[in-house]
Each structure stands twice: as C-alpha cells, then as structure tokens.
Amino acid sequence: MVTPSAQLSGLGWGFSTTDLILQARQKLPRSRVDEIATLGGLTKKQMALVLGVTERSLYNHHQGELSVPLSERLLLLEKVFQHGLSIFDGHREGFYTWLHTPLAELATPEVGFASPITNYVSRPITEMGTKQGPADLLAAAQARRERLANQQATTAQPMMSYPTPLSLLDTVTGCKLVDNVFTRIESGVFS
C-alpha cells in the first residue's frame, strides 16, 4: 500500500527539496551519473539525453565534478526516481516499464497537447444503467477499439501518441509533471 510522502516540499514536489540546493552547490562526482542511471533503469545514452548533454561529453569530459546546474538536474532525477520506486514498492521492473509507457495524464498543454475538446452530452440519469444486468465489458471495449480505428481512418492527420514519463524528464517542468502523477497515485487518484 502506498502512503503519502511524509515530508513534502514547500515548492509542490512530492518529496523534500531542502537539501537539493546545498548538495548541487557541492558539485557531484561523475560517478553519481551511473548510480542514478541504474536507479532509473536508464542506459548511458538515455541518461545523456535526459541531462541535455551528449553521451561523449557526459562520460569523457566530466571525469571529475559535474557543474552545479548538471548536479542539480541529477539530484532532481534521483529524487523523482526514488519517489517513483516508492510508489512501485521497490519493484524496479514495473517502474522501468512505467517510465516507457505513454500516459494520457501527461498529455498537457505544456507538452504540446491542446486542451481537451469534446462534444459529449451527458445522458439523463434515468437512461443510465441497464435493467438486463451488468454491461458486457468485452463488447464495450471492442466497440471502443472499432470506433477509434474508424476515427483514425477518417482523420487526415495521424493521431498524436501520448508522451512517456521518460520523454519529459529532460526538463524541470517535465519532472514536475511526472512527480505530480506519482503524487496522484499516492493519493489514490486513478492515473
């Protein structure tokens, strides 16, 4: 069972940020890159992309200490990964899979998605539910798949896929969006 974080940040993060600035200013050693990449299940190439540097620069030129901004990004990633692993009760494989899974919750205007537009009209309460018994969920799922396939076939533009959590970790705002999903899961909100 997931319990909400004991000490939340005053900045809205789902984890404490009190030591983040102090640690970043002390400049992390390059070896922490590998430790945090392992924590998040990332390859060297993915880690370089997330940190916004080339793989060559990260692993060849940064043999000593990292810069303060790079140290801060690395510490932020570590905190996000730790928060995520706590949500997944330490199950690394599940967490790694989740990082690579497209999520509708992350399809926000900040990442280039328009606000949802719908022509949904709610039905009167008397029309909701059935008297025949429970709905056939398999038939409903099949009907939805067919409706989406027809919608895609008639649309000239291909449907944009949802972003993965990993694809957003290259920005602070993206890290915040991913952390918000973790906080929602902790609070019991379906995400």
Side-chain angles (χ1 to χ4, degrees):
M1 178 167 154
V2 178
T3 57
S5 297
Q7 187 179 18
L8 299 179
S9 163
L11 301 174
W13 292 94
F15 48 80
S16 173
T17 56
T18 55
D19 58 343
L20 213 58
I21 295 171
L22 296 174
Q23 286 183 355
R25 286 183 178 158
Q26 291 174 357
K27 299 182 181 178
L28 297 178
R30 215 270 322 137
S31 61
R32 287 289 300 272
V33 173
D34 296 328
E35 294 170 16
I36 295 169
T38 301
L39 183 67
L42 303 183
T43 64
K44 289 182 176 185
K45 184 175 186 172
Q46 289 171 324
M47 194 63 173
L49 281 170
V50 166
L51 292 174
V53 296
T54 65
E55 188 177 353
R56 182 177 179 179
S57 173
L58 183 60
Y59 289 96
N60 293 341
H61 300 306
H62 291 289
Q63 291 304 321
E65 296 178 336
L66 302 173
S67 66
V68 172
L70 201 54
S71 294
E72 183 182 32
R73 291 293 312 283
L74 199 58
L75 288 166
L76 183 60
L77 273 177
E78 180 181 39
K79 295 279 191 178
V80 170
F81 289 160
Q82 288 171 345
H83 193 192
L85 282 167
S86 74
I87 297 300
F88 283 85
D89 294 327
H91 295 110
R92 291 179 182 267
E93 290 305 315
F95 175 62
Y96 300 160
T97 302
W98 183 86
L99 279 176
H100 294 86
T101 304
L103 296 177
E105 292 82 10
L106 297 175
T108 64
E110 292 90 350
V111 295
F113 282 81
S115 299
I117 299 172
T118 181
N119 55 0
Y120 176 77
V121 178
S122 62
R123 296 180 0 203
I125 194 86
T126 55
E127 293 179 18
M128 293 183 187
T130 64
K131 295 188 180 182
Q132 298 90 8
D136 182 3
L137 295 178
L138 293 176
Q142 181 60 33
R144 183 174 185 275
R145 279 192 288 275
E146 290 171 5
R147 189 173 58 251
L148 287 173
N150 290 339
Q151 206 174 24
Q152 234 175 348
T154 59
T155 307
Q157 298 176 353
M159 291 183 72
M160 188 182 289
S161 66
Y162 296 129
T164 65
L166 180 60
S167 71
L168 300 181
L169 294 178
D170 61 335
T171 65
V172 174
T173 304
C175 287
K176 180 69 175 121
L177 289 170
V178 171
D179 188 62
N180 285 347
V181 173
F182 293 147
T183 304
R184 289 170 49 98
I185 293 169
E186 275 183 320
S187 302
V189 178
F190 179 74
S191 293

Short mmCIF file of all heavy atoms in Angstrom, two decimals, residues 39-103:
data_model
loop_
_atom_site.label_atom_id
_atom_site.label_comp_id
_atom_site.label_asym_id
_atom_site.label_seq_id
_atom_site.Cartn_x
_atom_site.Cartn_y
_atom_site.Cartn_z
N LEU A 39 19.50 3.50 -10.94
CA LEU A 39 18.28 3.67 -10.13
C LEU A 39 17.05 3.80 -11.03
O LEU A 39 15.99 3.23 -10.73
CB LEU A 39 18.42 4.90 -9.24
CG LEU A 39 17.29 5.21 -8.27
CD1 LEU A 39 17.21 4.13 -7.20
CD2 LEU A 39 17.50 6.57 -7.63
N GLY A 40 17.19 4.53 -12.13
CA GLY A 40 16.07 4.74 -13.05
C GLY A 40 16.01 3.74 -14.19
O GLY A 40 15.12 3.82 -15.04
N GLY A 41 16.96 2.81 -14.25
CA GLY A 41 16.97 1.81 -15.31
C GLY A 41 17.27 2.40 -16.68
O GLY A 41 16.80 1.90 -17.70
N LEU A 42 18.09 3.45 -16.72
CA LEU A 42 18.39 4.13 -17.96
C LEU A 42 19.75 3.70 -18.51
O LEU A 42 20.68 3.42 -17.76
CB LEU A 42 18.40 5.65 -17.77
CG LEU A 42 17.14 6.29 -17.21
CD1 LEU A 42 17.29 7.80 -17.14
CD2 LEU A 42 15.93 5.93 -18.03
N THR A 43 19.85 3.69 -19.82
CA THR A 43 21.13 3.44 -20.48
C THR A 43 21.96 4.73 -20.44
O THR A 43 21.45 5.80 -20.10
CB THR A 43 20.92 3.03 -21.95
OG1 THR A 43 20.33 4.14 -22.65
CG2 THR A 43 20.04 1.80 -22.07
N LYS A 44 23.22 4.63 -20.81
CA LYS A 44 24.08 5.82 -20.85
C LYS A 44 23.53 6.85 -21.83
O LYS A 44 23.53 8.04 -21.56
CB LYS A 44 25.51 5.43 -21.23
CG LYS A 44 26.24 4.68 -20.16
CD LYS A 44 27.65 4.36 -20.59
CE LYS A 44 28.42 3.69 -19.46
NZ LYS A 44 29.82 3.48 -19.79
N LYS A 45 23.05 6.37 -22.97
CA LYS A 45 22.51 7.27 -23.98
C LYS A 45 21.26 7.98 -23.47
O LYS A 45 21.10 9.20 -23.64
CB LYS A 45 22.20 6.49 -25.25
CG LYS A 45 21.73 7.35 -26.40
CD LYS A 45 21.56 6.54 -27.66
CE LYS A 45 21.22 7.45 -28.83
NZ LYS A 45 21.22 6.73 -30.09
N GLN A 46 20.35 7.23 -22.83
CA GLN A 46 19.13 7.84 -22.28
C GLN A 46 19.47 8.86 -21.19
O GLN A 46 18.87 9.93 -21.13
CB GLN A 46 18.21 6.76 -21.71
CG GLN A 46 17.55 5.89 -22.75
CD GLN A 46 16.83 4.71 -22.13
OE1 GLN A 46 17.27 4.13 -21.13
NE2 GLN A 46 15.71 4.33 -22.74
N MET A 47 20.45 8.52 -20.36
CA MET A 47 20.83 9.43 -19.28
C MET A 47 21.39 10.73 -19.85
O MET A 47 21.07 11.81 -19.36
CB MET A 47 21.87 8.74 -18.39
CG MET A 47 22.07 9.43 -17.08
SD MET A 47 20.55 9.41 -16.13
CE MET A 47 21.13 10.07 -14.62
N ALA A 48 22.21 10.64 -20.88
CA ALA A 48 22.76 11.84 -21.51
C ALA A 48 21.64 12.69 -22.11
O ALA A 48 21.63 13.92 -21.96
CB ALA A 48 23.78 11.46 -22.58
N LEU A 49 20.66 12.04 -22.76
CA LEU A 49 19.53 12.79 -23.34
C LEU A 49 18.73 13.50 -22.26
O LEU A 49 18.34 14.66 -22.41
CB LEU A 49 18.61 11.84 -24.11
CG LEU A 49 19.07 11.44 -25.51
CD1 LEU A 49 18.19 10.32 -26.06
CD2 LEU A 49 19.04 12.64 -26.43
N VAL A 50 18.47 12.81 -21.16
CA VAL A 50 17.69 13.40 -20.07
C VAL A 50 18.43 14.58 -19.46
O VAL A 50 17.81 15.59 -19.11
CB VAL A 50 17.37 12.32 -19.00
CG1 VAL A 50 16.88 12.93 -17.72
CG2 VAL A 50 16.34 11.33 -19.54
N LEU A 51 19.75 14.48 -19.35
CA LEU A 51 20.52 15.57 -18.76
C LEU A 51 20.84 16.69 -19.74
O LEU A 51 21.37 17.73 -19.36
CB LEU A 51 21.82 15.02 -18.15
CG LEU A 51 21.63 14.13 -16.93
CD1 LEU A 51 22.96 13.53 -16.50
CD2 LEU A 51 21.00 14.91 -15.78
N GLY A 52 20.54 16.47 -21.02
CA GLY A 52 20.73 17.52 -22.01
C GLY A 52 22.17 17.72 -22.45
O GLY A 52 22.55 18.83 -22.83
N VAL A 53 22.96 16.67 -22.38
CA VAL A 53 24.35 16.73 -22.85
C VAL A 53 24.59 15.53 -23.75
O VAL A 53 23.83 14.58 -23.75
CB VAL A 53 25.37 16.73 -21.68
CG1 VAL A 53 25.22 17.96 -20.83
CG2 VAL A 53 25.23 15.49 -20.83
N THR A 54 25.66 15.60 -24.51
CA THR A 54 25.99 14.45 -25.35
C THR A 54 26.57 13.34 -24.48
O THR A 54 27.15 13.60 -23.42
CB THR A 54 27.00 14.81 -26.46
OG1 THR A 54 28.24 15.16 -25.83
CG2 THR A 54 26.49 15.95 -27.33
N GLU A 55 26.42 12.12 -24.95
CA GLU A 55 26.96 10.98 -24.21
C GLU A 55 28.47 11.11 -24.06
O GLU A 55 29.03 10.85 -23.00
CB GLU A 55 26.58 9.70 -24.95
CG GLU A 55 26.90 8.44 -24.21
CD GLU A 55 26.43 7.20 -24.97
OE1 GLU A 55 25.75 7.32 -25.99
OE2 GLU A 55 26.78 6.11 -24.51
N ARG A 56 29.11 11.53 -25.13
CA ARG A 56 30.56 11.69 -25.11
C ARG A 56 30.98 12.74 -24.08
O ARG A 56 31.91 12.53 -23.30
CB ARG A 56 31.05 12.09 -26.50
CG ARG A 56 32.52 12.23 -26.61
CD ARG A 56 32.93 12.55 -28.02
NE ARG A 56 34.38 12.69 -28.08
CZ ARG A 56 35.03 12.95 -29.16
NH1 ARG A 56 34.39 13.10 -30.30
NH2 ARG A 56 36.33 13.07 -29.14
N SER A 57 30.29 13.84 -24.07
CA SER A 57 30.62 14.90 -23.11
C SER A 57 30.41 14.42 -21.67
O SER A 57 31.24 14.65 -20.80
CB SER A 57 29.76 16.12 -23.38
OG SER A 57 29.94 17.08 -22.38
N LEU A 58 29.31 13.73 -21.44
CA LEU A 58 28.98 13.29 -20.09
C LEU A 58 29.98 12.26 -19.56
O LEU A 58 30.40 12.33 -18.42
CB LEU A 58 27.56 12.71 -20.06
CG LEU A 58 27.04 12.26 -18.71
CD1 LEU A 58 27.01 13.44 -17.74
CD2 LEU A 58 25.66 11.66 -18.85
N TYR A 59 30.36 11.33 -20.40
CA TYR A 59 31.20 10.23 -19.92
C TYR A 59 32.70 10.42 -20.17
O TYR A 59 33.49 9.74 -19.55
CB TYR A 59 30.71 8.92 -20.52
CG TYR A 59 29.39 8.51 -19.90
CD1 TYR A 59 28.19 8.82 -20.53
CD2 TYR A 59 29.35 7.89 -18.66
CE1 TYR A 59 26.99 8.48 -19.94
CE2 TYR A 59 28.15 7.56 -18.07
CZ TYR A 59 26.97 7.85 -18.71
OH TYR A 59 25.78 7.53 -18.12
N ASN A 60 33.09 11.35 -21.03
CA ASN A 60 34.52 11.55 -21.28
C ASN A 60 35.05 12.85 -20.67
O ASN A 60 36.12 12.87 -20.11
CB ASN A 60 34.81 11.55 -22.79
CG ASN A 60 34.56 10.19 -23.40
OD1 ASN A 60 34.52 9.19 -22.71
ND2 ASN A 60 34.38 10.16 -24.71
N HIS A 61 34.28 13.93 -20.81
CA HIS A 61 34.77 15.23 -20.38
C HIS A 61 34.49 15.52 -18.91
O HIS A 61 35.15 16.34 -18.31
CB HIS A 61 34.18 16.34 -21.24
CG HIS A 61 34.53 16.20 -22.69
ND1 HIS A 61 35.83 16.09 -23.13
CD2 HIS A 61 33.75 16.13 -23.80
CE1 HIS A 61 35.83 15.96 -24.46
NE2 HIS A 61 34.58 15.99 -24.88
N HIS A 62 33.50 14.88 -18.34
CA HIS A 62 33.15 15.13 -16.95
C HIS A 62 33.73 14.03 -16.06
O HIS A 62 33.01 13.28 -15.42
CB HIS A 62 31.63 15.17 -16.77
CG HIS A 62 30.97 16.35 -17.39
ND1 HIS A 62 31.11 17.62 -16.91
CD2 HIS A 62 30.18 16.46 -18.47
CE1 HIS A 62 30.42 18.46 -17.65
NE2 HIS A 62 29.85 17.78 -18.62
N GLN A 63 35.04 13.92 -16.01
CA GLN A 63 35.66 12.87 -15.20
C GLN A 63 35.71 13.24 -13.72
O GLN A 63 35.70 12.38 -12.87
CB GLN A 63 37.06 12.54 -15.72
CG GLN A 63 37.05 11.85 -17.06
CD GLN A 63 36.23 10.57 -17.05
OE1 GLN A 63 36.25 9.81 -16.10
NE2 GLN A 63 35.47 10.34 -18.12
N GLY A 64 35.76 14.50 -13.41
CA GLY A 64 35.82 14.95 -12.01
C GLY A 64 34.44 15.28 -11.50
O GLY A 64 33.56 14.43 -11.41
N GLU A 65 34.26 16.55 -11.20
CA GLU A 65 32.98 17.02 -10.66
C GLU A 65 32.11 17.55 -11.79
O GLU A 65 32.59 18.08 -12.78
CB GLU A 65 33.23 18.13 -9.65
CG GLU A 65 33.99 17.69 -8.42
CD GLU A 65 34.26 18.84 -7.48
OE1 GLU A 65 34.27 20.01 -7.93
OE2 GLU A 65 34.46 18.58 -6.29
N LEU A 66 30.81 17.42 -11.58
CA LEU A 66 29.84 17.97 -12.52
C LEU A 66 29.59 19.43 -12.19
O LEU A 66 29.86 19.87 -11.08
CB LEU A 66 28.52 17.19 -12.44
CG LEU A 66 28.60 15.69 -12.70
CD1 LEU A 66 27.25 15.05 -12.42
CD2 LEU A 66 29.01 15.42 -14.13
N SER A 67 29.06 20.18 -13.14
CA SER A 67 28.73 21.58 -12.89
C SER A 67 27.55 21.64 -11.91
O SER A 67 26.85 20.66 -11.69
CB SER A 67 28.36 22.28 -14.20
OG SER A 67 27.16 21.71 -14.72
N VAL A 68 27.33 22.81 -11.34
CA VAL A 68 26.22 23.00 -10.40
C VAL A 68 24.88 22.73 -11.08
O VAL A 68 24.06 21.98 -10.54
CB VAL A 68 26.27 24.39 -9.74
CG1 VAL A 68 25.02 24.65 -8.91
CG2 VAL A 68 27.52 24.53 -8.88
N PRO A 69 24.60 23.30 -12.29
CA PRO A 69 23.31 23.01 -12.92
C PRO A 69 23.13 21.52 -13.24
O PRO A 69 22.04 20.96 -13.05
CB PRO A 69 23.33 23.84 -14.20
CG PRO A 69 24.31 24.91 -13.96
CD PRO A 69 25.33 24.33 -13.04
N LEU A 70 24.19 20.87 -13.69
CA LEU A 70 24.10 19.44 -14.01
C LEU A 70 23.92 18.61 -12.74
O LEU A 70 23.15 17.65 -12.71
CB LEU A 70 25.34 19.00 -14.77
CG LEU A 70 25.25 17.73 -15.61
CD1 LEU A 70 24.08 17.78 -16.59
CD2 LEU A 70 26.54 17.49 -16.36
N SER A 71 24.59 19.02 -11.66
CA SER A 71 24.42 18.35 -10.37
C SER A 71 22.98 18.48 -9.88
O SER A 71 22.40 17.51 -9.38
CB SER A 71 25.38 18.94 -9.33
OG SER A 71 26.71 18.68 -9.66
N GLU A 72 22.42 19.68 -10.03
CA GLU A 72 21.04 19.89 -9.59
C GLU A 72 20.07 19.02 -10.39
O GLU A 72 19.17 18.39 -9.82
CB GLU A 72 20.65 21.36 -9.71
CG GLU A 72 19.24 21.63 -9.21
CD GLU A 72 18.83 23.07 -9.37
OE1 GLU A 72 19.27 23.72 -10.34
OE2 GLU A 72 18.04 23.54 -8.53
N ARG A 73 20.24 18.96 -11.72
CA ARG A 73 19.38 18.11 -12.56
C ARG A 73 19.48 16.65 -12.16
O ARG A 73 18.51 15.93 -12.10
CB ARG A 73 19.75 18.27 -14.03
CG ARG A 73 19.43 19.60 -14.66
CD ARG A 73 17.94 19.87 -14.77
NE ARG A 73 17.21 18.75 -15.34
CZ ARG A 73 17.16 18.43 -16.62
NH1 ARG A 73 17.80 19.15 -17.50
NH2 ARG A 73 16.45 17.39 -17.02
N LEU A 74 20.70 16.22 -11.87
CA LEU A 74 20.94 14.83 -11.48
C LEU A 74 20.27 14.53 -10.14
O LEU A 74 19.64 13.47 -9.98
CB LEU A 74 22.44 14.59 -11.41
CG LEU A 74 22.91 13.15 -11.47
CD1 LEU A 74 22.43 12.47 -12.74
CD2 LEU A 74 24.42 13.10 -11.41
N LEU A 75 20.38 15.43 -9.19
CA LEU A 75 19.73 15.25 -7.89
C LEU A 75 18.22 15.24 -8.02
O LEU A 75 17.53 14.46 -7.36
CB LEU A 75 20.18 16.34 -6.92
CG LEU A 75 21.61 16.22 -6.42
CD1 LEU A 75 22.05 17.52 -5.74
CD2 LEU A 75 21.75 15.04 -5.48
N LEU A 76 17.70 16.09 -8.88
CA LEU A 76 16.25 16.12 -9.12
C LEU A 76 15.79 14.79 -9.71
O LEU A 76 14.78 14.23 -9.28
CB LEU A 76 15.91 17.29 -10.05
CG LEU A 76 14.43 17.50 -10.36
CD1 LEU A 76 13.64 17.77 -9.09
CD2 LEU A 76 14.27 18.66 -11.33
N LEU A 77 16.54 14.28 -10.68
CA LEU A 77 16.22 12.98 -11.26
C LEU A 77 16.25 11.88 -10.20
O LEU A 77 15.37 11.01 -10.17
CB LEU A 77 17.22 12.62 -12.36
CG LEU A 77 16.93 13.11 -13.75
CD1 LEU A 77 18.06 12.73 -14.68
CD2 LEU A 77 15.63 12.56 -14.26
N GLU A 78 17.26 11.93 -9.34
CA GLU A 78 17.36 10.92 -8.28
C GLU A 78 16.13 10.95 -7.39
O GLU A 78 15.56 9.91 -7.05
CB GLU A 78 18.63 11.17 -7.46
CG GLU A 78 18.81 10.16 -6.33
CD GLU A 78 20.06 10.43 -5.52
OE1 GLU A 78 20.38 11.61 -5.26
OE2 GLU A 78 20.72 9.45 -5.15
N LYS A 79 15.70 12.15 -7.01
CA LYS A 79 14.51 12.29 -6.15
C LYS A 79 13.26 11.78 -6.86
O LYS A 79 12.44 11.08 -6.26
CB LYS A 79 14.31 13.76 -5.75
CG LYS A 79 15.39 14.33 -4.89
CD LYS A 79 15.21 13.93 -3.46
CE LYS A 79 16.14 14.74 -2.57
NZ LYS A 79 15.96 14.43 -1.17
N VAL A 80 13.11 12.10 -8.15
CA VAL A 80 11.94 11.63 -8.91
C VAL A 80 11.98 10.10 -9.01
O VAL A 80 10.95 9.44 -8.80
CB VAL A 80 11.89 12.29 -10.31
CG1 VAL A 80 10.85 11.63 -11.19
CG2 VAL A 80 11.59 13.78 -10.19
N PHE A 81 13.14 9.53 -9.29
CA PHE A 81 13.26 8.07 -9.38
C PHE A 81 12.97 7.42 -8.03
O PHE A 81 12.28 6.40 -7.96
CB PHE A 81 14.65 7.66 -9.87
CG PHE A 81 14.92 7.96 -11.31
CD1 PHE A 81 16.21 8.03 -11.78
CD2 PHE A 81 13.89 8.17 -12.22
CE1 PHE A 81 16.49 8.29 -13.12
CE2 PHE A 81 14.14 8.44 -13.56
CZ PHE A 81 15.44 8.50 -14.00
N GLN A 82 13.47 7.99 -6.95
CA GLN A 82 13.21 7.43 -5.62
C GLN A 82 11.72 7.50 -5.29
O GLN A 82 11.15 6.55 -4.74
CB GLN A 82 14.03 8.16 -4.56
CG GLN A 82 15.49 7.84 -4.60
CD GLN A 82 16.32 8.72 -3.68
OE1 GLN A 82 15.87 9.76 -3.21
NE2 GLN A 82 17.57 8.31 -3.44
N HIS A 83 11.09 8.60 -5.65
CA HIS A 83 9.65 8.76 -5.41
C HIS A 83 8.89 7.70 -6.22
O HIS A 83 7.98 7.05 -5.71
CB HIS A 83 9.21 10.17 -5.79
CG HIS A 83 7.84 10.53 -5.31
ND1 HIS A 83 7.19 11.65 -5.75
CD2 HIS A 83 6.98 9.92 -4.47
CE1 HIS A 83 6.01 11.73 -5.18
NE2 HIS A 83 5.85 10.68 -4.39
N GLY A 84 9.28 7.52 -7.47
CA GLY A 84 8.62 6.53 -8.32
C GLY A 84 8.80 5.12 -7.81
O GLY A 84 7.86 4.32 -7.78
N LEU A 85 10.01 4.80 -7.39
CA LEU A 85 10.26 3.45 -6.86
C LEU A 85 9.47 3.21 -5.57
O LEU A 85 9.00 2.09 -5.33
CB LEU A 85 11.74 3.22 -6.63
CG LEU A 85 12.54 2.92 -7.89
CD1 LEU A 85 14.04 3.02 -7.64
CD2 LEU A 85 12.18 1.56 -8.45
N SER A 86 9.28 4.25 -4.77
CA SER A 86 8.47 4.07 -3.56
C SER A 86 7.00 3.82 -3.92
O SER A 86 6.32 3.06 -3.25
CB SER A 86 8.60 5.28 -2.63
OG SER A 86 7.90 6.40 -3.13
N ILE A 87 6.54 4.44 -5.01
CA ILE A 87 5.17 4.22 -5.48
C ILE A 87 5.01 2.77 -5.94
O ILE A 87 3.98 2.14 -5.72
CB ILE A 87 4.82 5.18 -6.65
CG1 ILE A 87 4.86 6.62 -6.20
CG2 ILE A 87 3.49 4.84 -7.29
CD1 ILE A 87 3.90 6.96 -5.11
N PHE A 88 6.04 2.24 -6.58
CA PHE A 88 6.01 0.87 -7.09
C PHE A 88 6.52 -0.13 -6.06
O PHE A 88 6.86 -1.26 -6.40
CB PHE A 88 6.81 0.76 -8.40
CG PHE A 88 6.07 1.32 -9.58
CD1 PHE A 88 6.11 2.67 -9.87
CD2 PHE A 88 5.32 0.49 -10.39
CE1 PHE A 88 5.42 3.19 -10.95
CE2 PHE A 88 4.63 0.99 -11.48
CZ PHE A 88 4.68 2.34 -11.76
N ASP A 89 6.57 0.29 -4.80
CA ASP A 89 7.00 -0.58 -3.69
C ASP A 89 8.34 -1.24 -3.97
O ASP A 89 8.56 -2.41 -3.62
CB ASP A 89 5.94 -1.63 -3.37
CG ASP A 89 4.66 -1.01 -2.83
OD1 ASP A 89 4.75 0.02 -2.15
OD2 ASP A 89 3.58 -1.57 -3.09
N GLY A 90 9.24 -0.53 -4.64
CA GLY A 90 10.57 -1.04 -4.91
C GLY A 90 10.67 -2.02 -6.07
O GLY A 90 11.74 -2.53 -6.35
N HIS A 91 9.57 -2.28 -6.77
CA HIS A 91 9.60 -3.19 -7.92
C HIS A 91 10.18 -2.44 -9.12
O HIS A 91 9.47 -1.72 -9.82
CB HIS A 91 8.19 -3.73 -8.23
CG HIS A 91 7.66 -4.58 -7.15
ND1 HIS A 91 6.63 -4.18 -6.34
CD2 HIS A 91 8.02 -5.82 -6.72
CE1 HIS A 91 6.37 -5.12 -5.46
NE2 HIS A 91 7.21 -6.13 -5.66
N ARG A 92 11.46 -2.65 -9.35
CA ARG A 92 12.18 -1.90 -10.38
C ARG A 92 11.64 -2.17 -11.78
O ARG A 92 11.49 -1.24 -12.56
CB ARG A 92 13.67 -2.22 -10.32
CG ARG A 92 14.33 -1.66 -9.08
CD ARG A 92 15.81 -2.01 -9.02
NE ARG A 92 16.40 -1.51 -7.81
CZ ARG A 92 17.00 -0.33 -7.71
NH1 ARG A 92 17.07 0.46 -8.75
NH2 ARG A 92 17.52 0.07 -6.57
N GLU A 93 11.39 -3.42 -12.13
CA GLU A 93 10.94 -3.74 -13.49
C GLU A 93 9.61 -3.05 -13.81
O GLU A 93 9.42 -2.53 -14.90
CB GLU A 93 10.84 -5.25 -13.70
CG GLU A 93 12.18 -5.95 -13.74
CD GLU A 93 13.13 -5.36 -14.79
OE1 GLU A 93 12.70 -5.11 -15.93
OE2 GLU A 93 14.32 -5.16 -14.45
N GLY A 94 8.70 -3.05 -12.86
CA GLY A 94 7.43 -2.36 -13.06
C GLY A 94 7.61 -0.87 -13.25
O GLY A 94 6.98 -0.24 -14.10
N PHE A 95 8.51 -0.29 -12.45
CA PHE A 95 8.81 1.14 -12.56
C PHE A 95 9.46 1.45 -13.90
O PHE A 95 9.10 2.42 -14.57
CB PHE A 95 9.72 1.57 -11.41
CG PHE A 95 10.19 3.00 -11.51
CD1 PHE A 95 9.29 4.06 -11.48
CD2 PHE A 95 11.54 3.29 -11.63
CE1 PHE A 95 9.72 5.37 -11.57
CE2 PHE A 95 11.99 4.60 -11.72
CZ PHE A 95 11.07 5.64 -11.69
N TYR A 96 10.43 0.62 -14.35
CA TYR A 96 11.10 0.85 -15.62
C TYR A 96 10.11 0.76 -16.78
O TYR A 96 10.16 1.57 -17.71
CB TYR A 96 12.22 -0.17 -15.84
CG TYR A 96 13.31 -0.17 -14.79
CD1 TYR A 96 14.14 -1.26 -14.64
CD2 TYR A 96 13.53 0.93 -13.96
CE1 TYR A 96 15.15 -1.28 -13.68
CE2 TYR A 96 14.52 0.92 -13.00
CZ TYR A 96 15.33 -0.19 -12.86
OH TYR A 96 16.33 -0.19 -11.92
N THR A 97 9.20 -0.20 -16.71
CA THR A 97 8.17 -0.32 -17.75
C THR A 97 7.28 0.91 -17.76
O THR A 97 6.95 1.46 -18.82
CB THR A 97 7.32 -1.60 -17.52
OG1 THR A 97 8.20 -2.73 -17.53
CG2 THR A 97 6.25 -1.76 -18.58
N TRP A 98 6.90 1.38 -16.58
CA TRP A 98 6.03 2.55 -16.46
C TRP A 98 6.71 3.78 -17.08
O TRP A 98 6.04 4.58 -17.74
CB TRP A 98 5.70 2.81 -14.99
CG TRP A 98 4.76 3.94 -14.77
CD1 TRP A 98 3.40 3.90 -14.79
CD2 TRP A 98 5.11 5.32 -14.51
NE1 TRP A 98 2.88 5.15 -14.55
CE2 TRP A 98 3.91 6.03 -14.38
CE3 TRP A 98 6.32 5.98 -14.39
CZ2 TRP A 98 3.88 7.39 -14.13
CZ3 TRP A 98 6.29 7.34 -14.14
CH2 TRP A 98 5.07 8.03 -14.01
N LEU A 99 8.01 3.94 -16.88
CA LEU A 99 8.73 5.09 -17.45
C LEU A 99 8.64 5.13 -18.97
O LEU A 99 8.72 6.21 -19.57
CB LEU A 99 10.21 5.06 -17.05
CG LEU A 99 10.59 5.57 -15.68
CD1 LEU A 99 12.07 5.37 -15.43
CD2 LEU A 99 10.21 7.03 -15.50
N HIS A 100 8.50 3.97 -19.61
CA HIS A 100 8.47 3.89 -21.07
C HIS A 100 7.05 3.77 -21.63
O HIS A 100 6.88 3.58 -22.83
CB HIS A 100 9.31 2.70 -21.54
CG HIS A 100 10.76 2.86 -21.25
ND1 HIS A 100 11.32 2.51 -20.04
CD2 HIS A 100 11.77 3.37 -21.99
CE1 HIS A 100 12.62 2.77 -20.06
NE2 HIS A 100 12.92 3.30 -21.24
N THR A 101 6.03 3.88 -20.78
CA THR A 101 4.64 3.71 -21.19
C THR A 101 3.99 5.07 -21.46
O THR A 101 4.01 5.94 -20.58
CB THR A 101 3.85 2.97 -20.08
OG1 THR A 101 4.50 1.74 -19.81
CG2 THR A 101 2.41 2.74 -20.51
N PRO A 102 3.41 5.28 -22.64
CA PRO A 102 2.70 6.55 -22.90
C PRO A 102 1.53 6.73 -21.94
O PRO A 102 0.79 5.78 -21.68
CB PRO A 102 2.20 6.38 -24.34
CG PRO A 102 3.06 5.32 -24.93
CD PRO A 102 3.42 4.40 -23.80
N LEU A 103 1.39 7.93 -21.39
CA LEU A 103 0.34 8.22 -20.41
C LEU A 103 -0.49 9.42 -20.85
O LEU A 103 0.04 10.48 -21.14
CB LEU A 103 0.95 8.54 -19.04
CG LEU A 103 1.73 7.46 -18.33
CD1 LEU A 103 2.30 7.99 -17.03
CD2 LEU A 103 0.84 6.26 -18.06
#
